[in-house]
Amino acid sequence: MKRLFFLTLALVALLSSAQAQPQDALLESVKNHPVISWGGCDIVQLEEHDYLVAVASVEVGTKKLPQLRTVGATKAKRELLLMINGSEISSSTEMTTSEDMVDIDGKQTISTVQTFFESIREDAAGWVNGMSPLGMWYSDDRSVFFYAIYKSIN
């Protein structure tokens, strides 16, 4: 019984590592791709398979990883929709600036606050929503976050 359990465990580990290797190779191929490594959508060929891959770039700023992943996934779907048949995704960015002047004992101090608000709305349908996350990475200076999604097309 123990032998069967360990054999099953070893088989599961072997199968999961075999599935991870093509995805890792595809991610490395995308990172080095001349067209989409900085964002966009293209068909990538790897080991006799074709993959439709979309990559989004997101400025990091003060965003945390969950926010970066959400925005990245939405923008990657947008890249794919733009390539296939136009987009049903709308986005808007709003910036507000406020200045406060404080006078303390004749000394004036000005405080400036800038706030950015980005709104993204998606109406993606069909197999675009069924695309799998491929991976994520940062630019060398960590100012830009990249998020990739993919689907095998053959």
Side-chain angles (χ1 to χ4, degrees):
M1 189 69 169
K2 283 184 180 181
R3 181 181 289 178
L4 181 61
F5 174 74
F6 286 116
L7 183 60
T8 305
L9 187 62
L11 184 61
V12 168
L14 179 65
L15 288 176
S16 66
S17 69
Q19 290 174 349
Q21 289 173 348
Q23 187 174 347
D24 293 342
L26 180 59
L27 181 59
E28 285 305 312
S29 178
V30 168
K31 287 181 181 180
N32 297 315
H33 195 277
V35 176
I36 61 172
S37 61
W38 289 93
C41 186
D42 202 6
I43 295 173
V44 177
Q45 295 177 334
L46 183 68
E47 299 174 6
E48 301 179 16
H49 292 286
D50 293 332
Y51 299 93
L52 185 57
V53 179
V55 177
S57 60
V58 181
E59 287 191 37
V60 174
T62 60
K63 297 176 191 85
K64 303 289 183 208
L65 186 59
Q67 295 166 319
L68 290 169
R69 288 180 17 197
T70 301
V71 172
T74 303
K75 286 187 172 185
K77 288 177 187 176
R78 178 177 185 232
E79 292 292 340
L80 183 61
L81 287 170
L82 283 171
M83 178 184 177
I84 295 173
N85 62 355
S87 177
E88 290 296 323
I89 295 179
S90 59
S91 64
S92 64
T93 304
E94 214 176 283
M95 181 184 86
T96 57
T97 305
S98 63
E99 291 184 355
D100 292 327
M101 185 169 65
V102 178
D103 188 2
I104 301 174
D105 296 330
K107 197 175 193 180
Q108 294 180 345
T109 304
I110 297 176
S111 173
T112 304
V113 176
Q114 289 185 333
T115 305
F116 293 91
F117 178 75
E118 185 173 17
S119 173
I120 301 173
R121 181 171 181 254
E122 70 164 324
D123 292 323
W127 62 275
V128 172
N129 280 336
M131 293 193 64
S132 301
L134 177 59
M136 55 193 133
W137 66 96
Y138 288 93
S139 62
D140 292 337
D141 63 358
R142 299 190 61 83
S143 66
V144 180
F145 174 81
F146 298 98
Y147 188 86
I149 57 176
Y150 79 106
K151 187 165 201 156
S152 177
I153 56 175
N154 67 343

